[in-house]
Amino acid sequence: EGRDPAEDLRVLGRELREYGSSGIFGDDEIDGHGDGEREEETRRRRREMLGRPSLILANKMDLIPEDDAGMGRREELLFRLGLAAEEVGIAVCETDGILGMSAGVTGEGLRAIS
């Protein structure tokens, strides 16, 4: 589709950081500086949500060829997704936290998540 999955993950991470806010949300608010019980509860939930281990699934991996050059591109994509998750504070599961798959065409990777 011409999109960059790593950038899409960065956008998702920013949206998670802004969960429950007006869209303007800085680190000081995440860390608990602010007023009111409602704001504190929102910050607590946000910290909890961002700290949960996440499983990142990269779908449509069948679109990247399986030849030697393609395998390097697949590994690079998974690596870039890991970097993007780290940049935005998404906690990734320690074991197999980022998986490549093809849900529709080849079924690649589905066994690992079932």
Side-chain angles (χ1 to χ4, degrees):
E1 297 178 14
R3 296 172 59 171
D4 178 6
E7 183 56 30
D8 289 345
L9 185 59
R10 285 184 192 93
V11 169
L12 175 63
R14 287 190 293 271
E15 290 174 354
L16 289 172
R17 288 179 61 93
E18 294 171 357
Y19 166 75
S21 73
S22 62
I24 301 169
F25 199 76
D27 288 338
D28 58 332
E29 291 177 281
I30 289 175
D31 294 335
H33 300 75
D35 300 316
E37 286 183 32
R38 182 172 171 215
E39 288 84 5
E40 182 58 36
E41 178 63 15
T42 299
R43 286 189 290 273
R44 185 194 65 74
R45 288 180 182 181
R46 191 176 296 118
R47 284 190 303 270
E48 179 186 325
M49 182 174 54
L50 287 170
R52 292 178 186 164
S54 300
L55 175 62
I56 298 172
L57 301 174
N59 193 22
K60 299 187 179 184
M61 292 296 278
D62 56 293
L63 298 178
I64 301 174
E66 289 190 43
D67 60 14
D68 290 338
M71 285 307 289
R73 288 177 34 215
R74 287 176 177 210
E75 291 169 354
E76 177 188 358
L77 172 61
L78 298 177
F79 178 76
R80 288 189 319 109
L81 287 170
L83 291 177
E86 186 176 325
E87 285 174 24
V88 295
I90 296 174
V92 179
C93 295
E94 291 183 23
T95 307
D96 295 327
I98 302 174
L99 300 172
M101 59 182 285
S102 174
V105 178
T106 67
E108 171 187 347
L110 290 178
R111 184 161 293 195
I113 62 170
S114 59

